[in-house]
Amino acid sequence: DAGVTQSPTHLIKTRGQQVTLRCSPKSGHDTVSWYQQALGQGPQFIFQYYEEEERQRGNFPDRFSGHQFPNYSSELNVNALLLGDSALYLCASSYGAGGYGYTFGSGTRLTVV
Amino acid sequence: AQTVTQSQPEMSVQEAETVTLSCTYDTSENNYYLFWYKQPPSRQMILVIRQEAYKQQNATENRFSVNFQKAAKSFSLKISDSQLGDTAMYFCAFMKPLKGGYALNFGKGTSLLVTP
């Protein structure tokens, strides 16, 4: 049973560019959340998708957007990249609300130069 | 907003010993969930243990147990018989159920080193 799969694992982008990160949830899970983890910090909630709609959003600018597809997979898009966007981006999936905890992927390490 | 505080940036314990990681949180809610996650160098966050706030009984998962003090808003993790594989970052997290969804609020983490 595959867990949460994220791609790519590492990425280097130039300031001002756009990036798309991808996530496939664990089999049987229908909810996908995205988190940003800066170096030495705990993860920060970006947003959550359920039934192809953004259900909840954290304190992130509109440059961060997402999408969920009918097969429950998800994409995170970041426009106009800033140096401060360099971080580990974690995808987490759950069935429904997630009160039993999320299953996390291994993340995408984004470096903006 | 709910905040989660982990006051120990780094801790060290010898193999087979017991260690306790501290966590406090701030909320006005009565119903919520608390979690401890482990993040080894592989980067994947792994769920260690979960506690429902309305349950007074402390959660236990094998060598891992919690001391949940709701009134004090404290949620510490005890690791018994520490193993080398327990070396990792440990994050305490708070989750509040809402109609619109759920989100985890994480602390800054405690780096645990288990030595031979």
Side-chain angles (χ1 to χ4, degrees):
Chain A
D1 182 21
V4 177
T5 304
Q6 291 187 244
S7 63
T9 55
H10 296 85
L11 200 53
I12 299 175
K13 287 287 190 178
T14 302
R15 197 169 36 179
Q17 284 188 318
Q18 179 264 344
V19 68
T20 297
L21 311 182
R22 295 176 176 82
C23 172
S24 293
K26 181 178 178 178
S27 178
H29 286 184
D30 57 5
T31 301
V32 173
S33 303
W34 287 91
Y35 288 79
Q36 180 194 66
Q37 186 177 18
L39 199 61
Q41 301 293 319
Q44 297 290 316
F45 174 68
I46 302 175
F47 42 54
Q48 183 178 85
Y49 277 85
Y50 173 70
E51 292 188 339
E52 302 180 51
E53 290 191 358
E54 184 181 289
R55 181 161 68 179
Q56 194 174 12
R57 187 179 184 93
N59 189 25
F60 278 80
D62 292 344
R63 297 187 299 108
F64 289 77
S65 63
H67 189 76
Q68 186 179 35
F69 298 95
N71 67 352
Y72 307 120
S73 67
S74 177
E75 288 182 349
L76 164 66
N77 301 292
V78 187
N79 294 322
L81 284 167
L82 304 174
L83 296 179
D85 294 332
S86 295
L88 179 67
Y89 288 84
L90 295 166
C91 173
S93 72
S94 63
Y95 175 72
Y100 286 91
Y102 298 146
T103 300
F104 281 83
S106 296
T108 295
R109 172 72 67 191
L110 172 65
T111 302
V112 182
V113 298
Chain B
Q2 291 77 31
T3 59
V4 178
T5 302
Q6 294 180 248
S7 58
Q8 307 149 314
E10 296 179 352
M11 294 196 71
S12 180
V13 64
Q14 281 195 317
E15 205 174 2
E17 297 295 310
T18 295
V19 64
T20 298
L21 309 184
S22 301
C23 173
T24 58
Y25 57 95
D26 182 26
T27 183
S28 58
E29 299 293 327
N30 193 45
N31 294 319
Y32 49 87
Y33 302 99
L34 293 163
F35 302 85
W36 278 97
Y37 277 89
K38 165 185 176 181
Q39 188 176 38
S42 66
R43 308 185 319 201
Q44 185 177 15
M45 300 281 273
I46 301 167
L47 177 62
V48 174
I49 202 164
R50 166 186 174 270
Q51 176 79 41
E52 298 172 13
Y54 65 87
K55 289 188 176 178
Q56 293 187 344
Q57 185 174 5
N58 289 324
T60 300
E61 288 288 342
N62 300 315
R63 299 183 293 107
F64 299 88
S65 61
V66 297
N67 183 5
F68 174 48
Q69 302 289 328
K70 190 173 184 179
K73 298 178 183 176
S74 171
F75 183 60
S76 61
L77 174 69
K78 184 171 82 171
I79 305 174
S80 304
D81 186 25
S82 296
Q83 300 175 0
L84 297 178
D86 294 333
T87 292
M89 283 291 292
Y90 285 81
F91 291 95
C92 177
F94 172 99
M95 175 191 281
K96 183 178 74 172
L98 293 171
K99 273 191 177 181
Y102 304 75
L104 286 168
N105 281 357
F106 287 88
K108 290 188 175 182
T110 295
S111 178
L112 176 66
L113 175 65
V114 181
T115 57

